[in-house]
Amino acid sequence: AIMATRTLSSERDRKMTILLTPFMSCSAKLPIYGMITAAFFPRHAGLVMIGMYVLGILVMIGSGLLLKSTVYKGKPVPFVMELPAYRLPSARSVLLHMWQKAKDFLRKAFTIIFVASIVIWVLQSFSWSLQYVEDSAQSILASIGGVAPLFKPLGFGDWRAATAILTGFSAKESVVSTLSVLTGAASDGQLSVILQSMLSPAGALSFLTFTILYMPCVAAFAASKREMGSWKGAIGNALYQTGAAYVVALVVYFVARMVL
């Protein structure tokens, strides 16, 4: 989607679109939705997931209105695109599309996610002196998760949750695998029980909100840098997205504490 912005003739619109696109939920975030809703909102899983999609849309619209009157001032250029006639796809096209999507996921699962899980296990199992540790709280990963106090106002100050946020920069699917490794959960049910001891329902909603809005994965960041043409623009986008995620998650946490 970020790469497709190069078809926009207006430089202003193109940069705004690059910035706002990651607020829309991608398929990589679906495992996070599944993990949190199964643990905290099993009876309202569909409603929570739809709510997260709507929240992303509202944040995108609000950010667009804010940016067009501040950073990206100017008159929009009319956008005209000719759409082809809609037709029902053939069974062959549907199956081919399904195969391509499945193949892409398997390739990612056995490369990025698999390697990330191995790295997380190593960091969780050894200290800075490369000594094996029985308690993961004394590991390299725990010290990296020392940023956890920054997330305490959002309701998820546990170092394991903070570490999952950090590994999510590599790929959003890594959030789930990181929590599975750090908690030592042997099954989805066990992971749900451990998550319930780590987070309150309000904190879970806040965690979910932050993960869908903060800076996208490395691949999206690289695409943003390539299309923006500078590191400054890409880093500025990432900082704005993460800042917006923090503010919105903070609001969601306080509202959820009053409601739940």
Side-chain angles (χ1 to χ4, degrees), residues 12-139:
R12 166 186 175 273
D13 293 347
R14 189 171 65 84
K15 289 182 177 180
M16 280 188 62
T17 305
I18 293 172
L19 172 59
L20 300 176
T21 295
F23 287 134
M24 291 298 297
S25 294
C26 64
S27 59
K29 298 171 185 176
L30 288 177
I32 307 175
Y33 290 171
M35 175 185 67
I36 296 297
T37 55
F40 295 93
F41 314 104
R43 295 183 179 180
H44 306 286
L47 183 62
V48 172
M49 293 179 70
I50 293 173
M52 288 297 108
Y53 273 90
V54 173
L55 180 62
I57 294 172
L58 293 177
V59 172
M60 182 179 65
I61 294 173
S63 295
L65 294 174
L66 174 65
L67 293 171
K68 78 172 187 177
S69 60
T70 54
V71 181
Y72 297 110
K73 292 182 179 180
K75 294 182 179 180
V77 176
F79 177 68
V80 179
M81 183 173 66
E82 183 178 351
L83 295 175
Y86 287 104
R87 294 183 176 86
L88 286 175
S90 64
R92 181 177 180 277
S93 298
V94 172
L95 292 174
L96 183 62
H97 186 70
M98 290 170 57
W99 164 245
Q100 289 174 341
K101 291 295 183 181
K103 184 173 65 173
D104 289 341
F105 175 78
L106 291 174
R107 184 184 295 116
K108 180 180 287 188
F110 285 101
T111 53
I112 298 175
I113 302 174
F114 180 68
V115 172
S117 298
I118 293 175
V119 172
I120 292 164
W121 179 85
V122 171
L123 294 177
Q124 178 213 8
S125 302
F126 293 90
S127 65
W128 287 105
S129 58
L130 299 182
Q131 298 294 319
Y132 184 80
V133 295
E134 295 290 340
D135 186 1
S136 59
Q138 300 174 353
S139 65

Side-chain angles (χ1 to χ4, degrees), residues 180-204:
S180 297
V181 172
L182 294 181
T183 58
S187 65
D188 292 341
Q190 188 177 0
L191 177 60
S192 295
V193 172
I194 297 173
L195 287 175
Q196 289 167 7
S197 66
M198 287 172 49
L199 305 170
S200 65

Side-chain angles (χ1 to χ4, degrees), residues 149-161:
L150 292 175
F151 300 106
K152 192 171 183 179
L154 306 184
F156 52 94
D158 190 285
W159 70 271
R160 292 168 292 185

Side-chain angles (χ1 to χ4, degrees), residues 1-8 10-19 21-22 72 218-235 237:
I2 291 174
M3 293 173 63
T5 59
R6 63 183 61 176
T7 60
L8 298 176
S10 170
E11 185 77 5
R12 166 186 175 273
D13 293 347
R14 189 171 65 84
K15 289 182 177 180
M16 280 188 62
T17 305
I18 293 172
L19 172 59
T21 295
Y72 297 110
V218 172
F221 178 78
S224 177
K225 184 265 176 183
R226 184 167 56 249
E227 299 303 322
M228 293 286 287
S230 68
W231 285 107
K232 181 180 178 181
I235 294 174
N237 284 0

Side-chain angles (χ1 to χ4, degrees), residues 185-258:
S187 65
D188 292 341
Q190 188 177 0
L191 177 60
S192 295
V193 172
I194 297 173
L195 287 175
Q196 289 167 7
S197 66
M198 287 172 49
L199 305 170
S200 65
L205 272 180
S206 175
F207 179 82
L208 192 55
T209 300
F210 189 87
T211 54
I212 70 169
L213 296 177
Y214 83 116
M215 170 191 165
C217 62
V218 172
F221 178 78
S224 177
K225 184 265 176 183
R226 184 167 56 249
E227 299 303 322
M228 293 286 287
S230 68
W231 285 107
K232 181 180 178 181
I235 294 174
N237 284 0
L239 291 176
Y240 177 84
Q241 291 153 359
T242 304
Y246 194 96
V247 172
V248 176
L250 185 64
V251 173
V252 168
Y253 177 61
F254 279 103
V255 172
R257 282 183 63 185
M258 293 186 293

